[in-house]
């Protein structure tokens, strides 16, 4: 009798709910009407059609109906609840967030999962499943083709659970909470603290997973405390932009080695420590580089301003077990031996992006660079030699290899002392690369008035126009050639095409 009353109440609120005829606004109004009687709404969940859960959950979330949210989490009929999208762009009410996590508590306390309840993943990422909540509308496809969000577990060993299958009761498996973490001083708000406390208490059944992890300025002890609660094998993308010294990097290294599904690593600003012996320094460096043996999914490596890389690039690369797609070594000191090892590394043969920006190559023989370009010529798309101190004679050696990079789309080598005659020679070598669309070249040496680097803008405009005219004569007028040079006052890049886009240092007061 009670079930019939509930069913009748639901039908009266959602009558004529076919998406073929009912506008989205009608669904929203029906959900708001049901929520006026929260006890009835909770009792009705067992009978509520699966396709009406998203609009009712949205209404309960916006209206801060905590008890309904708590019950809906327990009864959620999809494998994934993409809560992060609803949290985006608004100040989330703490009690609302607590209600969702408390619903997980009730679900996790049950020894056997009820047959209808499918929840495996609570997704708190704000940029995933963008269309899950908005797909409901009055002029879209039938309710019965309503999409189920994919339970995103990037690179983790996933359970294969059909969101519509099995009526049998299943033993309970852990629920995953997906987040993107940015660790920095003072960034842990009340919501994050509440989540971490939940995970800490129920680590065996509530797994905190993180696809993207960014570490800024935060004490190492706090970082370690958080990482101990994260499923480290869920991390695919790691950025460490701290001003760490080598002993701190060594403390972090064991956690890096557990990120076995890592695809992209960015590490910057590791400084020397005057208080450690050379033997200890070597030990710390070996502890860091040896972790790459475990990172067998690694595809992109970005390292910037690492003091210890000179003479040790081979030590890092030989622990990388698979070919890289991106290698960016910037603002580091390298030896000629490092460049030689780089050109011979088995990891560089399939590079699509290579950057050595800020690596001084003036005293490095061009032959290893030539060999490096030849190794990657079939796949290289983006090449950056900015601020490398490359001279005319070095660039001339590289020209034939550059002309073999048939997939190249962007070439940047600003801030190198190159003459106009060599630039014209370069243009002739590049003209046959049909995919090349953008070239950023340095201000020609002939554009300077004196050794202090004072530019003669009229002369620069003339030389730039000369290169543009040559492009047209050779049949590539659409190829973008931009001249650029760092400002001698502030270091910001100034572009010329052909008139300069000047930085504020050149602007009159």
């Amino acid at each position: 009798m009670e079930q019939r009353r509930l069913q009748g109440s639901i039908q009266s609120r959602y009558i004529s709910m076919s998406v073929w005829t009912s506008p989205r606004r009608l669904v929203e109004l029906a959900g708001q009407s049901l929520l006026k009687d929260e006890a009835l709404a909770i009792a009705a969940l067992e009978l509520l059609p699966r396709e009406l859960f998203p609009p009712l959950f949205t209404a309960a979330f916006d209206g801060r109906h905590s008890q309904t949210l708590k019950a809906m989490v327990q009864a959620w009929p999809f494998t994934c609840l993409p809560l992060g999208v609803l949290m985006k762009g608004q100040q989330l009410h703490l009690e609302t967030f607590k209600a969702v996590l408390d619903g997980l508590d009730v679900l996790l306390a049950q020894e056997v999962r009820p047959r209808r309840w499918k929840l495996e993943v609570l997704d708190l990422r704000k940029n995933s499943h963008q269309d899950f909540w908005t797909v409901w509308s009055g002029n879209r496809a039938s309710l019965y083709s309503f999409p189920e969000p994919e339970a995103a577990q990037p690179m983790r060993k996933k359970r294969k659970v059909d969101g519509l299958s099995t009526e049998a009761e299943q033993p309970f498996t852990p629920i995953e909470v997906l987040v993107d973490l940015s660790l920095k001083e003072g960034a842990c708000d009340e919501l994050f603290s509440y989540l971490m406390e939940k995970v800490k208490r129920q680590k065996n059944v509530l797994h905190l997973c993180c696809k993207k992890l960014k570490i800024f300025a935060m004490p190492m002890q706090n970082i370690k405390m958080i990482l101990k609660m994260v499923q480290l094998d869920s991390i695919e993308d790691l950025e460490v932009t701290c001003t760490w010294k080598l002993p701190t990097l060594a403390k972090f290294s064991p956690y890096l080695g557990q990120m076995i599904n890592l695809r992209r690593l960015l590490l910057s600003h590791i400084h020397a420590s005057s208080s450690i012996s050379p033997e200890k320094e070597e030990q710390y460096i070996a502890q860091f580089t040896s972790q790459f043996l475990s990172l067998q999914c690694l595809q992109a490596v970005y390292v910037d301003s690492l003091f210890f890389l000179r003479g040790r690039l081979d030590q890092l690369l030989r622990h990388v077990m698979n070919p890289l797609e991106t290698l960016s070594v910037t603002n580091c000191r390298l030896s000629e031996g490092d460049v030689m090892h780089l050109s011979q590394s088995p990891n560089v043969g399939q590079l699509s992006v290579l950057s050595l920006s800020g690596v001084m190559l003036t005293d490095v023989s061009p032959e290893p660079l030539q060999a490096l370009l030849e190794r990657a010529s079939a796949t290289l798309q983006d090449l950056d030699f900015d601020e490398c101190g490359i001279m005319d004679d070095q660039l001339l050696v590289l020209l034939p290899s550059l002309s073999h990079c048939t997939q190249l789309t962007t070439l940047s080598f600003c801030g190198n002392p190159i003459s106009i005659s060599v630039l014209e020679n370069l243009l002739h070598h590049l003209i046959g690369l049909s995919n090349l669309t953008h070239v950023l070249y340095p201000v020609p040496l002939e554009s300077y008035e004196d050794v202090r680097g004072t530019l003669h803008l009229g002369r620069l405009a003339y030389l730039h126009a000369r290169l543009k005219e040559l492009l047209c004569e050779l049949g590539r007028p659409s190829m973008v050639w931009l001249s650029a040079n760092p400002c001698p006052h502030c270091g910001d890049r100034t572009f010329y095409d052909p008139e300069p886009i000047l930085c504020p240092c050149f602007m009159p007061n």
Side-chain angles (χ1 to χ4, degrees), residues 213-217 220 223 237-244 249 252 256 259 264-270 288 302-304 306:
L213 172 62
K214 297 181 179 181
I215 303 177
F216 300 100
M220 177 52 66
I223 293 173
D237 191 322
L238 172 65
E239 294 187 9
V240 181
T241 53
C242 303
T243 52
W244 284 352
L249 178 64
F252 177 76
L256 174 64
M259 301 176 190
R264 177 180 179 271
L265 170 64
L266 184 153
L267 178 66
S268 68
H269 294 91
I270 305 300
F288 166 68
Y302 300 80
V303 291
D304 179 80
L306 304 190

PDB file of all heavy atoms in Angstrom, residues 213-217 220 223 237-244 249 252 256 259 264-270 288 302-304 306:
ATOM      1  N   LEU A 213      48.892  15.967  -9.983  1.00  0.00           N
ATOM      2  CA  LEU A 213      49.416  16.450  -8.710  1.00  0.00           C
ATOM      3  C   LEU A 213      50.413  17.567  -8.972  1.00  0.00           C
ATOM      4  O   LEU A 213      51.373  17.394  -9.728  1.00  0.00           O
ATOM      5  CB  LEU A 213      50.106  15.308  -7.950  1.00  0.00           C
ATOM      6  CG  LEU A 213      50.876  15.695  -6.681  1.00  0.00           C
ATOM      7  CD1 LEU A 213      49.945  16.298  -5.634  1.00  0.00           C
ATOM      8  CD2 LEU A 213      51.614  14.488  -6.109  1.00  0.00           C
ATOM      9  N   LYS A 214      50.163  18.718  -8.350  1.00  0.00           N
ATOM     10  CA  LYS A 214      51.081  19.851  -8.431  1.00  0.00           C
ATOM     11  C   LYS A 214      51.574  20.172  -7.026  1.00  0.00           C
ATOM     12  O   LYS A 214      50.772  20.303  -6.102  1.00  0.00           O
ATOM     13  CB  LYS A 214      50.401  21.078  -9.040  1.00  0.00           C
ATOM     14  CG  LYS A 214      49.951  20.891 -10.475  1.00  0.00           C
ATOM     15  CD  LYS A 214      49.318  22.162 -11.021  1.00  0.00           C
ATOM     16  CE  LYS A 214      48.880  21.983 -12.466  1.00  0.00           C
ATOM     17  NZ  LYS A 214      48.278  23.229 -13.026  1.00  0.00           N
ATOM     18  N   ILE A 215      52.880  20.297  -6.880  1.00  0.00           N
ATOM     19  CA  ILE A 215      53.472  20.611  -5.577  1.00  0.00           C
ATOM     20  C   ILE A 215      54.194  21.937  -5.688  1.00  0.00           C
ATOM     21  O   ILE A 215      55.121  22.091  -6.501  1.00  0.00           O
ATOM     22  CB  ILE A 215      54.444  19.508  -5.118  1.00  0.00           C
ATOM     23  CG1 ILE A 215      53.727  18.159  -5.052  1.00  0.00           C
ATOM     24  CG2 ILE A 215      55.035  19.852  -3.758  1.00  0.00           C
ATOM     25  CD1 ILE A 215      54.630  16.998  -4.678  1.00  0.00           C
ATOM     26  N   PHE A 216      53.758  22.885  -4.892  1.00  0.00           N
ATOM     27  CA  PHE A 216      54.389  24.196  -4.841  1.00  0.00           C
ATOM     28  C   PHE A 216      55.123  24.306  -3.500  1.00  0.00           C
ATOM     29  O   PHE A 216      55.745  23.352  -3.056  1.00  0.00           O
ATOM     30  CB  PHE A 216      53.342  25.294  -5.030  1.00  0.00           C
ATOM     31  CG  PHE A 216      52.608  25.209  -6.337  1.00  0.00           C
ATOM     32  CD1 PHE A 216      51.342  24.650  -6.419  1.00  0.00           C
ATOM     33  CD2 PHE A 216      53.197  25.668  -7.502  1.00  0.00           C
ATOM     34  CE1 PHE A 216      50.670  24.552  -7.628  1.00  0.00           C
ATOM     35  CE2 PHE A 216      52.538  25.588  -8.725  1.00  0.00           C
ATOM     36  CZ  PHE A 216      51.270  25.018  -8.781  1.00  0.00           C
ATOM     37  N   ALA A 217      55.059  25.454  -2.876  1.00  0.00           N
ATOM     38  CA  ALA A 217      55.754  25.650  -1.604  1.00  0.00           C
ATOM     39  C   ALA A 217      54.932  25.062  -0.457  1.00  0.00           C
ATOM     40  O   ALA A 217      53.869  25.570  -0.124  1.00  0.00           O
ATOM     41  CB  ALA A 217      55.997  27.145  -1.378  1.00  0.00           C
ATOM     42  N   MET A 220      57.935  19.718   3.630  1.00  0.00           N
ATOM     43  CA  MET A 220      58.017  18.327   3.205  1.00  0.00           C
ATOM     44  C   MET A 220      57.226  17.409   4.121  1.00  0.00           C
ATOM     45  O   MET A 220      56.619  16.433   3.663  1.00  0.00           O
ATOM     46  CB  MET A 220      59.480  17.891   3.124  1.00  0.00           C
ATOM     47  CG  MET A 220      59.685  16.428   2.747  1.00  0.00           C
ATOM     48  SD  MET A 220      58.814  15.906   1.241  1.00  0.00           S
ATOM     49  CE  MET A 220      59.682  16.869   0.013  1.00  0.00           C
ATOM     50  N   ILE A 223      53.726  17.446   2.908  1.00  0.00           N
ATOM     51  CA  ILE A 223      53.610  16.736   1.636  1.00  0.00           C
ATOM     52  C   ILE A 223      53.593  15.227   1.870  1.00  0.00           C
ATOM     53  O   ILE A 223      52.763  14.502   1.313  1.00  0.00           O
ATOM     54  CB  ILE A 223      54.776  17.129   0.705  1.00  0.00           C
ATOM     55  CG1 ILE A 223      54.668  18.597   0.299  1.00  0.00           C
ATOM     56  CG2 ILE A 223      54.798  16.236  -0.539  1.00  0.00           C
ATOM     57  CD1 ILE A 223      55.862  19.112  -0.475  1.00  0.00           C
ATOM     58  N   ASP A 237      50.223  12.717 -13.884  1.00  0.00           N
ATOM     59  CA  ASP A 237      50.836  14.006 -14.228  1.00  0.00           C
ATOM     60  C   ASP A 237      51.344  14.654 -12.947  1.00  0.00           C
ATOM     61  O   ASP A 237      50.553  14.942 -12.045  1.00  0.00           O
ATOM     62  CB  ASP A 237      49.788  14.896 -14.914  1.00  0.00           C
ATOM     63  CG  ASP A 237      50.384  16.144 -15.546  1.00  0.00           C
ATOM     64  OD1 ASP A 237      51.311  16.713 -14.950  1.00  0.00           O
ATOM     65  OD2 ASP A 237      49.909  16.564 -16.615  1.00  0.00           O
ATOM     66  N   LEU A 238      52.654  14.882 -12.855  1.00  0.00           N
ATOM     67  CA  LEU A 238      53.258  15.439 -11.644  1.00  0.00           C
ATOM     68  C   LEU A 238      54.066  16.680 -11.993  1.00  0.00           C
ATOM     69  O   LEU A 238      54.917  16.652 -12.894  1.00  0.00           O
ATOM     70  CB  LEU A 238      54.183  14.404 -10.987  1.00  0.00           C
ATOM     71  CG  LEU A 238      55.039  14.901  -9.813  1.00  0.00           C
ATOM     72  CD1 LEU A 238      54.161  15.316  -8.633  1.00  0.00           C
ATOM     73  CD2 LEU A 238      56.041  13.835  -9.397  1.00  0.00           C
ATOM     74  N   GLU A 239      53.789  17.772 -11.265  1.00  0.00           N
ATOM     75  CA  GLU A 239      54.574  18.998 -11.398  1.00  0.00           C
ATOM     76  C   GLU A 239      55.125  19.374 -10.029  1.00  0.00           C
ATOM     77  O   GLU A 239      54.358  19.552  -9.085  1.00  0.00           O
ATOM     78  CB  GLU A 239      53.728  20.150 -11.949  1.00  0.00           C
ATOM     79  CG  GLU A 239      53.264  19.950 -13.378  1.00  0.00           C
ATOM     80  CD  GLU A 239      52.561  21.183 -13.943  1.00  0.00           C
ATOM     81  OE1 GLU A 239      52.595  22.253 -13.269  1.00  0.00           O
ATOM     82  OE2 GLU A 239      51.971  21.086 -15.038  1.00  0.00           O
ATOM     83  N   VAL A 240      56.429  19.481  -9.935  1.00  0.00           N
ATOM     84  CA  VAL A 240      57.085  19.911  -8.701  1.00  0.00           C
ATOM     85  C   VAL A 240      57.827  21.200  -9.015  1.00  0.00           C
ATOM     86  O   VAL A 240      58.873  21.190  -9.666  1.00  0.00           O
ATOM     87  CB  VAL A 240      58.062  18.844  -8.171  1.00  0.00           C
ATOM     88  CG1 VAL A 240      58.708  19.325  -6.871  1.00  0.00           C
ATOM     89  CG2 VAL A 240      57.339  17.515  -7.954  1.00  0.00           C
ATOM     90  N   THR A 241      57.278  22.316  -8.594  1.00  0.00           N
ATOM     91  CA  THR A 241      57.882  23.625  -8.855  1.00  0.00           C
ATOM     92  C   THR A 241      58.212  24.282  -7.520  1.00  0.00           C
ATOM     93  O   THR A 241      57.598  25.268  -7.122  1.00  0.00           O
ATOM     94  CB  THR A 241      56.938  24.512  -9.690  1.00  0.00           C
ATOM     95  OG1 THR A 241      55.651  24.580  -9.048  1.00  0.00           O
ATOM     96  CG2 THR A 241      56.755  23.953 -11.075  1.00  0.00           C
ATOM     97  N   CYS A 242      59.149  23.685  -6.842  1.00  0.00           N
ATOM     98  CA  CYS A 242      59.585  24.174  -5.540  1.00  0.00           C
ATOM     99  C   CYS A 242      61.050  24.588  -5.632  1.00  0.00           C
ATOM    100  O   CYS A 242      61.766  24.203  -6.552  1.00  0.00           O
ATOM    101  CB  CYS A 242      59.447  23.083  -4.476  1.00  0.00           C
ATOM    102  SG  CYS A 242      57.794  22.403  -4.306  1.00  0.00           S
ATOM    103  N   THR A 243      61.490  25.364  -4.686  1.00  0.00           N
ATOM    104  CA  THR A 243      62.912  25.672  -4.584  1.00  0.00           C
ATOM    105  C   THR A 243      63.523  24.740  -3.541  1.00  0.00           C
ATOM    106  O   THR A 243      63.889  25.155  -2.446  1.00  0.00           O
ATOM    107  CB  THR A 243      63.130  27.148  -4.203  1.00  0.00           C
ATOM    108  OG1 THR A 243      62.352  27.441  -3.031  1.00  0.00           O
ATOM    109  CG2 THR A 243      62.711  28.063  -5.330  1.00  0.00           C
ATOM    110  N   TRP A 244      63.585  23.476  -3.894  1.00  0.00           N
ATOM    111  CA  TRP A 244      64.122  22.459  -3.002  1.00  0.00           C
ATOM    112  C   TRP A 244      65.636  22.385  -3.120  1.00  0.00           C
ATOM    113  O   TRP A 244      66.219  22.670  -4.168  1.00  0.00           O
ATOM    114  CB  TRP A 244      63.557  21.083  -3.344  1.00  0.00           C
ATOM    115  CG  TRP A 244      62.156  20.856  -2.898  1.00  0.00           C
ATOM    116  CD1 TRP A 244      61.397  21.659  -2.098  1.00  0.00           C
ATOM    117  CD2 TRP A 244      61.341  19.735  -3.247  1.00  0.00           C
ATOM    118  NE1 TRP A 244      60.161  21.103  -1.917  1.00  0.00           N
ATOM    119  CE2 TRP A 244      60.095  19.926  -2.604  1.00  0.00           C
ATOM    120  CE3 TRP A 244      61.533  18.597  -4.017  1.00  0.00           C
ATOM    121  CZ2 TRP A 244      59.051  19.011  -2.724  1.00  0.00           C
ATOM    122  CZ3 TRP A 244      60.496  17.691  -4.141  1.00  0.00           C
ATOM    123  CH2 TRP A 244      59.270  17.891  -3.498  1.00  0.00           C
ATOM    124  N   LEU A 249      64.820  16.769  -2.134  1.00  0.00           N
ATOM    125  CA  LEU A 249      64.466  15.945  -3.289  1.00  0.00           C
ATOM    126  C   LEU A 249      64.659  14.464  -2.966  1.00  0.00           C
ATOM    127  O   LEU A 249      63.849  13.618  -3.357  1.00  0.00           O
ATOM    128  CB  LEU A 249      65.310  16.340  -4.497  1.00  0.00           C
ATOM    129  CG  LEU A 249      65.083  15.531  -5.777  1.00  0.00           C
ATOM    130  CD1 LEU A 249      63.659  15.725  -6.289  1.00  0.00           C
ATOM    131  CD2 LEU A 249      66.095  15.928  -6.854  1.00  0.00           C
ATOM    132  N   PHE A 252      61.793  13.069  -1.122  1.00  0.00           N
ATOM    133  CA  PHE A 252      60.610  12.903  -1.968  1.00  0.00           C
ATOM    134  C   PHE A 252      60.748  11.707  -2.915  1.00  0.00           C
ATOM    135  O   PHE A 252      59.744  11.123  -3.352  1.00  0.00           O
ATOM    136  CB  PHE A 252      60.390  14.189  -2.778  1.00  0.00           C
ATOM    137  CG  PHE A 252      59.250  14.121  -3.745  1.00  0.00           C
ATOM    138  CD1 PHE A 252      57.937  14.203  -3.316  1.00  0.00           C
ATOM    139  CD2 PHE A 252      59.494  13.966  -5.111  1.00  0.00           C
ATOM    140  CE1 PHE A 252      56.886  14.130  -4.213  1.00  0.00           C
ATOM    141  CE2 PHE A 252      58.441  13.898  -6.012  1.00  0.00           C
ATOM    142  CZ  PHE A 252      57.141  13.985  -5.556  1.00  0.00           C
ATOM    143  N   LEU A 256      58.084   9.292  -5.505  1.00  0.00           N
ATOM    144  CA  LEU A 256      58.122   9.334  -6.966  1.00  0.00           C
ATOM    145  C   LEU A 256      58.176   7.934  -7.541  1.00  0.00           C
ATOM    146  O   LEU A 256      57.481   7.610  -8.510  1.00  0.00           O
ATOM    147  CB  LEU A 256      59.324  10.157  -7.429  1.00  0.00           C
ATOM    148  CG  LEU A 256      59.587  10.192  -8.933  1.00  0.00           C
ATOM    149  CD1 LEU A 256      58.437  10.871  -9.672  1.00  0.00           C
ATOM    150  CD2 LEU A 256      60.909  10.907  -9.236  1.00  0.00           C
ATOM    151  N   MET A 259      54.914   6.083  -8.161  1.00  0.00           N
ATOM    152  CA  MET A 259      53.970   6.607  -9.162  1.00  0.00           C
ATOM    153  C   MET A 259      54.182   5.867 -10.472  1.00  0.00           C
ATOM    154  O   MET A 259      54.565   6.433 -11.494  1.00  0.00           O
ATOM    155  CB  MET A 259      54.176   8.121  -9.322  1.00  0.00           C
ATOM    156  CG  MET A 259      53.985   8.896  -8.037  1.00  0.00           C
ATOM    157  SD  MET A 259      54.340  10.671  -8.229  1.00  0.00           S
ATOM    158  CE  MET A 259      54.314  11.209  -6.511  1.00  0.00           C
ATOM    159  N   ARG A 264      53.727  12.087 -17.238  1.00  0.00           N
ATOM    160  CA  ARG A 264      54.356  13.402 -17.438  1.00  0.00           C
ATOM    161  C   ARG A 264      54.972  13.873 -16.124  1.00  0.00           C
ATOM    162  O   ARG A 264      54.301  13.885 -15.085  1.00  0.00           O
ATOM    163  CB  ARG A 264      53.318  14.413 -17.922  1.00  0.00           C
ATOM    164  CG  ARG A 264      53.832  15.841 -18.101  1.00  0.00           C
ATOM    165  CD  ARG A 264      52.702  16.757 -18.588  1.00  0.00           C
ATOM    166  NE  ARG A 264      53.155  18.119 -18.746  1.00  0.00           N
ATOM    167  CZ  ARG A 264      53.127  19.041 -17.776  1.00  0.00           C
ATOM    168  NH1 ARG A 264      52.664  18.722 -16.565  1.00  0.00           N
ATOM    169  NH2 ARG A 264      53.560  20.271 -17.998  1.00  0.00           N
ATOM    170  N   LEU A 265      56.249  14.275 -16.170  1.00  0.00           N
ATOM    171  CA  LEU A 265      56.954  14.770 -14.990  1.00  0.00           C
ATOM    172  C   LEU A 265      57.562  16.125 -15.297  1.00  0.00           C
ATOM    173  O   LEU A 265      58.266  16.291 -16.303  1.00  0.00           O
ATOM    174  CB  LEU A 265      58.059  13.791 -14.585  1.00  0.00           C
ATOM    175  CG  LEU A 265      59.036  14.292 -13.510  1.00  0.00           C
ATOM    176  CD1 LEU A 265      58.314  14.524 -12.184  1.00  0.00           C
ATOM    177  CD2 LEU A 265      60.198  13.325 -13.332  1.00  0.00           C
ATOM    178  N   LEU A 266      57.287  17.089 -14.428  1.00  0.00           N
ATOM    179  CA  LEU A 266      57.920  18.402 -14.499  1.00  0.00           C
ATOM    180  C   LEU A 266      58.597  18.659 -13.155  1.00  0.00           C
ATOM    181  O   LEU A 266      57.944  18.596 -12.109  1.00  0.00           O
ATOM    182  CB  LEU A 266      56.896  19.499 -14.797  1.00  0.00           C
ATOM    183  CG  LEU A 266      57.436  20.923 -14.999  1.00  0.00           C
ATOM    184  CD1 LEU A 266      56.494  21.726 -15.903  1.00  0.00           C
ATOM    185  CD2 LEU A 266      57.625  21.682 -13.681  1.00  0.00           C
ATOM    186  N   LEU A 267      59.888  18.957 -13.193  1.00  0.00           N
ATOM    187  CA  LEU A 267      60.662  19.205 -11.979  1.00  0.00           C
ATOM    188  C   LEU A 267      61.539  20.422 -12.206  1.00  0.00           C
ATOM    189  O   LEU A 267      62.261  20.497 -13.202  1.00  0.00           O
ATOM    190  CB  LEU A 267      61.535  17.985 -11.652  1.00  0.00           C
ATOM    191  CG  LEU A 267      62.455  18.090 -10.431  1.00  0.00           C
ATOM    192  CD1 LEU A 267      61.625  18.192  -9.152  1.00  0.00           C
ATOM    193  CD2 LEU A 267      63.389  16.883 -10.371  1.00  0.00           C
ATOM    194  N   SER A 268      61.469  21.385 -11.278  1.00  0.00           N
ATOM    195  CA  SER A 268      62.235  22.615 -11.488  1.00  0.00           C
ATOM    196  C   SER A 268      62.831  23.126 -10.190  1.00  0.00           C
ATOM    197  O   SER A 268      62.338  22.851  -9.092  1.00  0.00           O
ATOM    198  CB  SER A 268      61.343  23.700 -12.111  1.00  0.00           C
ATOM    199  OG  SER A 268      60.364  24.133 -11.197  1.00  0.00           O
ATOM    200  N   HIS A 269      63.923  23.878 -10.362  1.00  0.00           N
ATOM    201  CA  HIS A 269      64.572  24.634  -9.291  1.00  0.00           C
ATOM    202  C   HIS A 269      65.025  23.766  -8.116  1.00  0.00           C
ATOM    203  O   HIS A 269      64.538  23.892  -6.995  1.00  0.00           O
ATOM    204  CB  HIS A 269      63.655  25.762  -8.803  1.00  0.00           C
ATOM    205  CG  HIS A 269      63.417  26.821  -9.828  1.00  0.00           C
ATOM    206  ND1 HIS A 269      62.350  26.762 -10.710  1.00  0.00           N
ATOM    207  CD2 HIS A 269      64.119  27.929 -10.143  1.00  0.00           C
ATOM    208  CE1 HIS A 269      62.400  27.806 -11.523  1.00  0.00           C
ATOM    209  NE2 HIS A 269      63.461  28.535 -11.204  1.00  0.00           N
ATOM    210  N   ILE A 270      65.936  22.860  -8.416  1.00  0.00           N
ATOM    211  CA  ILE A 270      66.601  22.085  -7.369  1.00  0.00           C
ATOM    212  C   ILE A 270      68.000  22.675  -7.190  1.00  0.00           C
ATOM    213  O   ILE A 270      68.791  22.713  -8.133  1.00  0.00           O
ATOM    214  CB  ILE A 270      66.691  20.593  -7.739  1.00  0.00           C
ATOM    215  CG1 ILE A 270      65.299  20.039  -8.064  1.00  0.00           C
ATOM    216  CG2 ILE A 270      67.339  19.814  -6.605  1.00  0.00           C
ATOM    217  CD1 ILE A 270      64.302  20.139  -6.922  1.00  0.00           C
ATOM    218  N   PHE A 288      67.559   9.696  -6.465  1.00  0.00           N
ATOM    219  CA  PHE A 288      66.537  10.312  -7.320  1.00  0.00           C
ATOM    220  C   PHE A 288      66.467   9.643  -8.688  1.00  0.00           C
ATOM    221  O   PHE A 288      65.404   9.209  -9.134  1.00  0.00           O
ATOM    222  CB  PHE A 288      66.819  11.805  -7.465  1.00  0.00           C
ATOM    223  CG  PHE A 288      66.046  12.463  -8.561  1.00  0.00           C
ATOM    224  CD1 PHE A 288      64.665  12.609  -8.464  1.00  0.00           C
ATOM    225  CD2 PHE A 288      66.680  12.922  -9.705  1.00  0.00           C
ATOM    226  CE1 PHE A 288      63.933  13.210  -9.493  1.00  0.00           C
ATOM    227  CE2 PHE A 288      65.974  13.517 -10.726  1.00  0.00           C
ATOM    228  CZ  PHE A 288      64.588  13.670 -10.621  1.00  0.00           C
ATOM    229  N   TYR A 302      60.099  17.126 -18.212  1.00  0.00           N
ATOM    230  CA  TYR A 302      60.457  18.542 -18.225  1.00  0.00           C
ATOM    231  C   TYR A 302      61.325  18.805 -16.986  1.00  0.00           C
ATOM    232  O   TYR A 302      60.850  18.639 -15.862  1.00  0.00           O
ATOM    233  CB  TYR A 302      59.228  19.444 -18.147  1.00  0.00           C
ATOM    234  CG  TYR A 302      58.234  19.282 -19.261  1.00  0.00           C
ATOM    235  CD1 TYR A 302      57.306  18.235 -19.250  1.00  0.00           C
ATOM    236  CD2 TYR A 302      58.187  20.185 -20.331  1.00  0.00           C
ATOM    237  CE1 TYR A 302      56.373  18.088 -20.271  1.00  0.00           C
ATOM    238  CE2 TYR A 302      57.255  20.044 -21.351  1.00  0.00           C
ATOM    239  CZ  TYR A 302      56.353  18.989 -21.315  1.00  0.00           C
ATOM    240  OH  TYR A 302      55.437  18.847 -22.319  1.00  0.00           O
ATOM    241  N   VAL A 303      62.572  19.178 -17.188  1.00  0.00           N
ATOM    242  CA  VAL A 303      63.424  19.547 -16.060  1.00  0.00           C
ATOM    243  C   VAL A 303      63.968  20.944 -16.314  1.00  0.00           C
ATOM    244  O   VAL A 303      64.403  21.277 -17.426  1.00  0.00           O
ATOM    245  CB  VAL A 303      64.568  18.538 -15.834  1.00  0.00           C
ATOM    246  CG1 VAL A 303      64.022  17.217 -15.329  1.00  0.00           C
ATOM    247  CG2 VAL A 303      65.385  18.325 -17.096  1.00  0.00           C
ATOM    248  N   ASP A 304      63.927  21.770 -15.276  1.00  0.00           N
ATOM    249  CA  ASP A 304      64.342  23.165 -15.407  1.00  0.00           C
ATOM    250  C   ASP A 304      65.157  23.556 -14.183  1.00  0.00           C
ATOM    251  O   ASP A 304      64.742  23.304 -13.037  1.00  0.00           O
ATOM    252  CB  ASP A 304      63.103  24.072 -15.529  1.00  0.00           C
ATOM    253  CG  ASP A 304      63.474  25.537 -15.632  1.00  0.00           C
ATOM    254  OD1 ASP A 304      63.835  25.968 -16.734  1.00  0.00           O
ATOM    255  OD2 ASP A 304      63.401  26.252 -14.603  1.00  0.00           O
ATOM    256  N   LEU A 306      68.011  22.511 -12.782  1.00  0.00           N
ATOM    257  CA  LEU A 306      68.532  21.483 -11.877  1.00  0.00           C
ATOM    258  C   LEU A 306      70.050  21.635 -11.812  1.00  0.00           C
ATOM    259  O   LEU A 306      70.743  21.396 -12.808  1.00  0.00           O
ATOM    260  CB  LEU A 306      68.172  20.074 -12.359  1.00  0.00           C
ATOM    261  CG  LEU A 306      66.697  19.749 -12.598  1.00  0.00           C
ATOM    262  CD1 LEU A 306      66.533  18.252 -12.816  1.00  0.00           C
ATOM    263  CD2 LEU A 306      65.832  20.208 -11.450  1.00  0.00           C
TER     264      LEU A 306
END
